[in-house]
Amino acid sequence: MRAFLLLVCLVLSGCTNQIQTPENRVEQFYIFYLNALTTENTQHSSDSRQLREYVAQDTLDRLKYIQKIYEQEIVNSDYFTYGQDYTKEWIPGLKIGQAIDFMGGKSIDVWIGIQDGKKQHLVNYLRMEGGEWKIYRVRSATDNYEQYIFDDNAIAAAKTYAAGVKH
């Protein structure tokens, strides 16, 4: 009987290890994403399978929708780095903090390397989706700024502006 209980405990503990920690997911995402940004491939596009693996679907849908708005200024830099460009030499500056409970999900501080040996401090917000931790929101803590992709008023204003601008 003890052997059976031990076996059940081992099997159950193996099952709980299948869900990766939020920290692991964010680290895997940024390793993938920063490397993709520095190459000539499109693995970091909102349609890529790799991006869908790490980012919440509604976030990807919003980013895709906003990018189609002519002359929009909601997303004025890369959403996941808050930068205009990225170089491979900065990747070793990646540092992932500890997950903190936040509104039923997690928030994690992330530092990515940038020019002159500095770091960009980001906060990633995650929630469970399909049994995996996925990023649904990113904010720049360095600049205390957020690209408001979930602000319906900002999106409506961008659409109204785009309608009045000649293409």
Side-chain angles (χ1 to χ4, degrees), residues 2 8 13 26 31 34 44 46 52 59 62 64 70 74-75 78 101 109-110 122 136 145 147 152-153 156 160 162:
R2 280 188 197 178
V8 169
S13 68
V26 169
I31 289 170
L34 297 176
H44 65 282
S46 60
R52 287 192 311 268
T59 300
R62 288 265 180 168
K64 198 171 175 181
Y70 183 71
I74 297 167
V75 178
D78 182 83
D101 291 337
D109 288 312
V110 174
L122 306 168
Y136 71 89
Y145 173 74
Q147 298 179 72
D152 291 333
N153 292 328
T160 300

Side-chain angles (χ1 to χ4, degrees), residues 26-39 41 81 85-96 110-120:
V26 169
E27 182 176 36
Q28 289 171 356
F29 168 74
Y30 275 98
I31 289 170
F32 146 72
Y33 193 76
L34 297 176
N35 279 292
L37 279 179
T38 61
T39 62
N41 67 46
T81 65
D85 55 13
Y86 209 79
T87 181
K88 242 184 186 355
E89 291 77 30
W90 301 339
I91 294 174
L94 177 64
K95 180 183 172 213
I96 308 297
V110 174
W111 293 266
I112 58 173
I114 58 173
Q115 70 275 1
D116 302 324
K118 297 177 184 170
K119 292 192 185 267
Q120 170 80 321

Side-chain angles (χ1 to χ4, degrees), residues 37-166:
L37 279 179
T38 61
T39 62
E40 301 261 340
N41 67 46
T42 58
Q43 292 177 333
H44 65 282
S45 74
S46 60
D47 291 327
S48 79
R49 178 189 58 77
Q50 294 90 342
L51 204 59
R52 287 192 311 268
E53 185 178 323
Y54 297 106
V55 180
Q57 188 60 53
D58 62 335
T59 300
L60 292 174
D61 291 345
R62 288 265 180 168
L63 289 169
K64 198 171 175 181
Y65 180 77
I66 290 167
Q67 290 300 331
K68 290 180 181 177
I69 301 172
Y70 183 71
E71 294 288 322
Q72 63 82 22
E73 293 186 12
I74 297 167
V75 178
N76 52 19
S77 64
D78 182 83
Y79 185 71
F80 300 103
T81 65
Y82 278 75
Q84 298 294 332
D85 55 13
Y86 209 79
T87 181
K88 242 184 186 355
E89 291 77 30
W90 301 339
I91 294 174
L94 177 64
K95 180 183 172 213
I96 308 297
Q98 293 295 309
I100 299 169
D101 291 337
F102 181 81
M103 297 179 67
K106 303 287 184 184
S107 72
I108 299 178
D109 288 312
V110 174
W111 293 266
I112 58 173
I114 58 173
Q115 70 275 1
D116 302 324
K118 297 177 184 170
K119 292 192 185 267
Q120 170 80 321
H121 181 193
L122 306 168
V123 180
N124 280 233
Y125 298 89
L126 293 85
R127 65 177 173 227
M128 286 297 263
E129 184 177 289
E132 298 281 348
W133 287 107
K134 295 204 176 184
I135 299 167
Y136 71 89
R137 181 176 153 212
V138 180
R139 183 177 64 80
S140 169
T142 297
D143 301 319
N144 194 27
Y145 173 74
E146 182 171 356
Q147 298 179 72
Y148 293 103
I149 68 168
F150 293 105
D151 184 336
D152 291 333
N153 292 328
I155 294 170
K159 286 175 63 178
T160 300
Y161 175 77
V165 176
K166 293 188 179 188

Side-chain angles (χ1 to χ4, degrees), residues 3-19:
F4 176 73
L5 288 175
L6 180 61
L7 179 62
V8 169
C9 288
L10 288 173
V11 168
L12 290 176
S13 68
C15 292
T16 60
N17 288 336
Q18 295 299 340
I19 297 176

